[in-house]
Amino acid sequence: MQLRRHVLTLWSACVVALALPAVGCTAQPTAGASAAAFNATDTAWILLMIPMAERARLLTELAPSRAADPALAALAADTGATLRADLRRLRAVLRLSGVPDTHPHEGHDMPGMVSLDTLRAAADADGQAFDRILTDALRAHFAQSGLLCTGERARGRADRAKDLAAALAKSAAEGASRLRAVP
């Protein structure tokens, strides 16, 4: 009996030792009335949308000096302004969640996120070559943003995050529609 208790105690200690690092690596809200409304989907969505918007914004800032198509340059300017506002709102909701802005996706290249390679290629391109890079990257950004926002709205818990996801999904759909209309 005592051997069995000893084995169970060791097994329990191993489980706890293995679980602690995993728990420490996830975005967990801090205590507080508003933070309690956020679940892991909410915080993961916010922490992913911030770098996606930052990278897309960096790309749009290149358009005034590189784009050949004035309509595409105008779309990029409007998209950049929208992304700056989106970033302010995302960071405000992140603060409400109680999760620190630790940049867990820094350096990652994920579907729909403007990659660092794309940013470098865009910085080296101009005219129609730049327009193709911008168009392809914005198309992917709008599509993935809409998809992520749909996931947040379905699985998130915090009303503020879900409302923001609805607004960002609408904005992404409008951006995609405008992009399709560019000749």
Side-chain angles (χ1 to χ4, degrees), residues 16-168:
V16 170
L18 291 173
L20 283 177
V23 171
C25 292
T26 60
Q28 300 293 323
T30 58
S34 64
F38 288 80
N39 67 12
T41 298
D42 297 318
T43 56
W45 173 76
I46 296 165
L47 289 170
L48 180 56
M49 290 299 293
I50 288 173
M52 282 191 57
E54 286 174 339
R55 294 261 190 95
R57 182 190 54 79
L58 290 172
L59 180 63
T60 63
E61 289 176 354
L62 297 171
S65 63
R66 300 197 174 324
D69 185 340
L72 191 55
L75 172 65
D78 292 346
T79 300
T82 298
L83 290 167
R84 283 188 291 282
D86 292 347
L87 283 163
R88 282 191 297 276
R89 296 187 313 176
L90 284 161
R91 287 191 174 104
V93 173
L94 182 63
R95 280 190 297 279
L96 284 176
S97 78
V99 174
D101 192 0
T102 58
H103 307 282
H105 299 290
E106 190 165 333
H108 295 179
D109 288 330
M110 295 168 278
M113 180 182 278
V114 176
S115 71
L116 296 175
D117 289 341
T118 299
L119 284 174
R120 282 189 282 276
D124 291 339
D126 60 7
Q128 291 180 346
F130 176 83
D131 289 359
R132 276 189 301 278
I133 293 168
L134 179 64
T135 300
D136 291 346
L138 286 180
R139 185 178 298 114
H141 172 79
F142 292 142
Q144 187 68 12
S145 292
L147 183 65
L148 292 171
C149 290
T150 298
E152 164 58 22
R153 291 167 60 201
R155 300 283 185 228
R157 182 173 50 198
D159 288 338
R160 290 286 300 268
K162 290 169 68 168
D163 291 346
L164 181 54
L168 296 184

